[in-house]
Amino acid sequence: MAPSDARRLTRALLVAWLAAGTLDIGVALTYYPLAAGADPIRILQGIASGLLGGRAFEGGIATAALGLLCHYGIALIWTLFFFLIYPRIRVLSRSRVLTAILYGTFVSAAMRFVVLPLSNVRPRPFALPAFAVDTVILWITIGAPLAIVAGRYHAGRRPGS
């Protein structure tokens, strides 16, 4: 890969990651306090509880900061994975809307049924309405920015590169 191609890829990854991570945490810190009265600090501590378990809620702003760091780390993993699979799955390049829906749904299901059960987050019973809301949020905050940025990146690549 030529240095200019590596810079283009790095820029696309950074833009996609920061857009998706920021949109997602921005919605979480806005929607859940308005819809459910959740405290933004507790939301971030809840993310940190994936590593620390219940102790995360005793750590104040430090564990909230850790939660934010974890959130962006998770967003980076989903971004890297998306850029890895995007050129290999043809349907993803056909429609950015369909791609956003498919990937947002995939991320939502993977987080709910694989990542969270393997973490130290306190288990919660499955509720379809909450899962549906979370999934739609991920269509917009994760799926859409990744589909847009990856679509533009790959559309601008030279054939054979």
Side-chain angles (χ1 to χ4, degrees):
M1 177 181 286
S4 62
D5 293 336
R7 280 192 299 275
R8 234 180 121 253
L9 175 59
T10 301
R11 185 177 184 321
L13 286 167
L14 282 172
V15 167
W17 167 50
L18 293 174
T22 302
L23 283 171
D24 189 49
I25 200 65
V27 168
L29 295 177
T30 305
Y31 172 77
Y32 294 107
L34 292 173
D39 176 2
I41 296 296
R42 301 236 351 131
I43 291 169
L44 293 170
Q45 290 171 329
I47 297 168
S49 76
L51 291 176
L52 305 176
R55 294 185 325 234
F57 298 101
E58 301 163 8
I61 197 75
T63 55
L66 176 62
L68 185 61
L69 185 66
C70 289
H71 167 77
Y72 275 100
I74 293 165
L76 178 60
I77 291 166
W78 288 122
T79 299
L80 293 171
F81 182 69
F82 185 80
F83 270 75
L84 180 69
I85 66 168
Y86 185 90
R88 292 168 174 77
I89 302 176
R90 292 192 134 209
V91 72
L92 297 180
S93 64
R94 293 200 179 119
S95 166
R96 290 184 181 153
V97 172
L98 178 61
T99 298
I101 291 169
L102 289 173
Y103 198 64
T105 302
F106 170 75
V107 170
S108 185
M111 290 299 296
R112 174 67 174 122
F113 299 113
V114 179
V115 175
L116 291 177
L118 292 174
S119 77
N120 290 315
V121 170
R122 184 180 48 124
R124 295 188 181 160
F126 179 77
L128 185 58
F131 179 74
V133 168
D134 293 344
T135 300
V136 171
I137 288 170
L138 290 176
W139 292 352
I140 298 162
T141 64
I142 300 291
L146 295 184
I148 291 166
V149 176
R152 287 182 182 166
Y153 169 75
H154 285 286
R157 292 185 71 196
R158 293 182 302 269
S161 59

